[in-house]
Amino acid sequence: MSELITAMPKRAYNLKETAAILDISYHSLRALIDVGAIRPIFLPQAKITDAEIDKFLQNVQKDGEKYKELLEENNRRVSAKKPTTEEDKVETLEVAR
């Protein structure tokens, strides 16, 4: 008797796939992860489960503006870290050593 083998649905997605599912950029997804809005698992690379995507989407429906503010705050924090002058760049390199 032959059995029909069906593939299990995919339940964990890499970050590029997750960004595509949510229709946002990879960098926006990273920002959401950084602020804790989306929690990845590590298998050995970062993956986002379908349950986590569903949870995030439900939360966005409740308070979507909150996530817009989180992303804007993250963008301000990231842009504040960038060195602007040559002296800042040299100082950043010296600190990194």
Side-chain angles (χ1 to χ4, degrees):
M1 209 195 254
S2 74
E3 295 181 29
L4 180 63
I5 299 175
T6 58
M8 290 186 64
K10 191 169 184 179
R11 299 191 62 207
Y13 306 93
N14 67 35
L15 300 186
K16 285 185 179 183
E17 291 170 329
T18 303
I21 290 168
L22 295 174
D23 196 24
I24 60 175
S25 72
Y26 175 84
H27 298 292
S28 292
L29 176 63
R30 290 296 313 183
L32 289 168
I33 291 170
D34 289 345
V35 297
I38 297 177
R39 294 179 20 215
I41 58 173
F42 298 93
L43 297 170
Q45 298 172 338
K47 302 273 186 177
I48 309 293
T49 63
D50 56 353
E52 187 67 21
I53 293 169
D54 290 341
K55 184 175 97 176
F56 172 73
L57 292 174
Q58 288 174 355
N59 288 337
V60 167
Q61 287 178 339
K62 291 178 194 170
D63 44 319
E65 287 300 310
K66 172 184 166 188
Y67 293 101
K68 182 179 178 184
E69 292 169 11
L70 288 172
L71 289 174
E72 289 171 356
E73 179 183 326
N74 187 64
N75 288 341
R76 283 192 299 273
R77 190 180 78 236
V78 169
S79 62
K81 289 182 180 179
K82 292 181 183 175
T84 53
T85 65
E86 286 299 316
E87 290 177 7
D88 290 341
K89 291 178 184 177
V90 169
E91 185 176 310
T92 302
L93 290 173
E94 289 174 356
V95 170
R97 292 180 188 170

